[in-house]
Amino acid sequence: MTLLSSSPMVGGAQLAVSVTGNTMETKAETKMSCTPTCSSNGTHSDGYTGAFEGPEKLLEMWFAPSAEAAAALPVGQDASYCTAEEEEEPRSRGTGLRRVPVAVWRDMLDLVHCQILSTLSNAHVDSYLLSESSFFVYPHKLVLKTCGTTTLLYAVPRVLEIARVFLGTASAYQLFYSRKNFMFPDQQEELHRSWESEVSYLDALFPDGSAYMIGKTNRDHWHVYLAGPYEVRQLAPPQPVSSRGCGELIDGVLLLGESTHAEAEDEEREADGTALSRSPLVPSADATVNNSAVASPLIHPVSRTSSRSTVQEERSVPEAGADTTVEILMTGLDPERMRTMYLGGASSEEGSSGGKAVERVSGISGIYPDSASDSYLFTPCGFSLNGLQGDGYYTIHVTPEPHCSYASFETNVSDLCLDLDDPKGIKRLVEQVTQVFGPRYVTVTVFKARPALETQPLTARADSAVYAASAKGKYDGAGVDAVPPSFSPVAGYKSVDRVLYEFDHYWLRYAYYVRSD
């Protein structure tokens, strides 16, 4: 880890910056103390009321169909914010979004009200363990998951602006936002107090997005918002940035190095009446309050039919590759098994050493034994983990208090033992996870990308022998299956709710289980 001696000033306050070294090798760096805004249970709230909101808000934003497509983007790759010390060091963080400096991510996370505790990286992805859950950065997409009373959606306009500067993209490729129903909705900030307000905020950014509520309205249920995929839209190639290429401080605000394509875009917007004011990436002190869907100068509404002369549209973009994500959300956790999630249970040490002890004692380490993991045990209780295996990630977060117990497990890691494209593999995964936590109620969601053939019009499909075979539930090895198989029964649980959604580019399976006893 490199600690920078000259930290930038943001709004009159000094911003501490840390930068991970060679991220092509898996390594972890951990702060062994709670962050200043993190109370004893890991939330940014100053006073813990004893009712912690475990269910997370989950945001996934893509800016290209694949890591390879992001690496090929010719725009924005020279944009950087750095200090004098960083100028002398080669950038080895990879391509696309992985080139964004940690200081910029820290600033974005300030809008959400959470901080980075530790990092874990490999050749494919950067993982950030947060005071409230997790953050994963690929070249082409990011996954941000936050619990408690965090304000996650305030990050969306800022991420769009970061991608504009560092990738040169005019908009997002696709977006997913989801969450389980809250236990204590009245404790949320106003934006997240209701699903309707969250949808209104996202609709202002993505006019043709779609919102769904899945499951029983009078029991546990799940919300999801989808936007895209859109055509990959790039800004015009910029002129070379200045030789310094770093951020400047103007009146206490950090401005990223600007390139001429941004000015040209502004001129075009002024001409057609859609001008947006220029804005720095680092906000003023009241940006959290003012960063609304209506007022934010960072918002660039996206539409499938939008077209401006200042952008170059790539109409022949590759389809997104295999993408299957499983999320397991659990409540009513077994109190005996949750003893390990308290300080003094599996370990008396807060931080990463305590987290490793929890992994071993609880059985978590046996789920993906070949992975690299980064975990944290909080005071007085609570546990978080990020794990990486190849180009996949998994993450676990636990609130063990009996009156609000909750645990989440999310993964896109598929291997020989846990094949996420096989219902037997998902059954095995759910059984391993529920064995660790002993929950009374379990929600399982599976998002699976649909092959290109599945998204063609029905008239085009009808002439395809491959599709005809797949429509009968057969798989011919060409990447086509008509409908994902139903979930297999889970030992010790009965299935009480099952839903299948067919979206244009994804399948979604949802299941709700209740423990048999």
Side-chain angles (χ1 to χ4, degrees), residues 258-319:
E258 298 289 342
S259 53
T260 57
H261 71 81
E263 297 171 0
E265 185 186 28
D266 284 345
E267 291 174 1
E268 179 67 22
R269 287 175 180 168
E270 290 174 1
D272 66 9
T274 61
L276 298 176
S277 62
R278 301 296 304 151
S279 175
L281 283 180
V282 177
S284 60
D286 62 350
T288 303
V289 176
N290 295 331
N291 191 14
S292 67
V294 176
S296 174
L298 302 181
I299 293 174
H300 184 172
V302 180
S303 171
R304 293 178 194 270
T305 58
S306 175
S307 176
R308 302 181 190 277
S309 61
T310 56
V311 300
Q312 298 175 338
E313 297 191 2
E314 297 288 343
R315 299 186 181 275
S316 300
V317 298
E319 294 288 335

Side-chain angles (χ1 to χ4, degrees), residues 172-176 227-232 304 319-320 504-506:
Y173 171 67
Q174 61 184 356
L175 173 142
F176 305 84
Y230 303 100
E231 293 175 343
V232 175
R304 293 178 194 270
E319 294 288 335
D504 285 344
H505 297 270
Y506 281 84

Side-chain angles (χ1 to χ4, degrees), residues 293-471:
V294 176
S296 174
L298 302 181
I299 293 174
H300 184 172
V302 180
S303 171
R304 293 178 194 270
T305 58
S306 175
S307 176
R308 302 181 190 277
S309 61
T310 56
V311 300
Q312 298 175 338
E313 297 191 2
E314 297 288 343
R315 299 186 181 275
S316 300
V317 298
E319 294 288 335
D323 178 36
T324 302
T325 302
V326 178
E327 194 174 19
I328 306 170
L329 311 177
M330 298 161 280
T331 56
L333 309 181
D334 181 1
E336 288 300 315
R337 301 183 212 197
M338 289 303 97
R339 290 181 183 274
T340 60
M341 306 295 170
Y342 284 78
L343 198 68
S347 173
S348 296
E349 294 187 57
E350 183 185 12
S352 60
S353 58
K356 286 298 180 184
V358 172
E359 290 185 54
R360 293 190 300 270
V361 174
S362 66
I364 288 173
S365 59
I367 299 176
Y368 285 113
D370 297 328
S371 67
S373 62
D374 176 18
S375 55
Y376 200 100
L377 176 62
F378 293 94
T379 299
C381 62
F383 172 80
S384 288
L385 176 146
N386 284 351
L388 301 180
Q389 182 169 312
D391 61 356
Y393 71 87
Y394 67 101
T395 183
I396 301 172
H397 302 283
V398 185
T399 300
E401 295 96 322
H403 60 286
C404 57
S405 65
Y406 171 84
S408 67
F409 183 100
E410 180 187 346
T411 184
N412 65 355
V413 176
S414 191
D415 58 23
L416 293 177
C417 296
L418 298 173
D419 183 355
L420 302 186
D421 292 324
D422 183 348
K424 293 181 180 178
I426 294 179
K427 166 187 168 69
R428 188 176 299 112
L429 174 64
V430 174
E431 289 179 346
Q432 282 188 263
V433 172
T434 54
Q435 181 62 33
V436 171
F437 300 102
R440 180 171 296 277
Y441 307 105
V442 182
T443 297
V444 179
T445 64
V446 179
F447 261 111
K448 177 180 172 61
R450 301 177 63 191
L453 179 61
E454 290 290 344
T455 63
Q456 293 178 4
L458 288 174
T459 53
R461 298 185 197 171
D463 296 331
S464 170
V466 174
Y467 179 82
S470 70

Side-chain angles (χ1 to χ4, degrees), residues 19-30 93 98 102 116-130 134-138 352 356 359 370-375 384-390 392-395:
V19 178
T20 307
N22 183 3
T23 60
M24 301 306 287
E25 299 177 1
T26 299
K27 59 168 64 178
E29 51 176 88
T30 306
R93 296 189 62 83
R98 296 188 71 192
V102 177
I116 297 171
L117 296 179
S118 58
T119 66
L120 181 70
S121 298
N122 65 15
H124 306 279
V125 57
D126 296 322
S127 154
Y128 299 88
L129 197 64
L130 305 179
S134 299
F135 181 39
F136 298 92
V137 180
Y138 287 83
S352 60
K356 286 298 180 184
E359 290 185 54
D370 297 328
S371 67
S373 62
D374 176 18
S375 55
S384 288
L385 176 146
N386 284 351
L388 301 180
Q389 182 169 312
Y393 71 87
Y394 67 101
T395 183

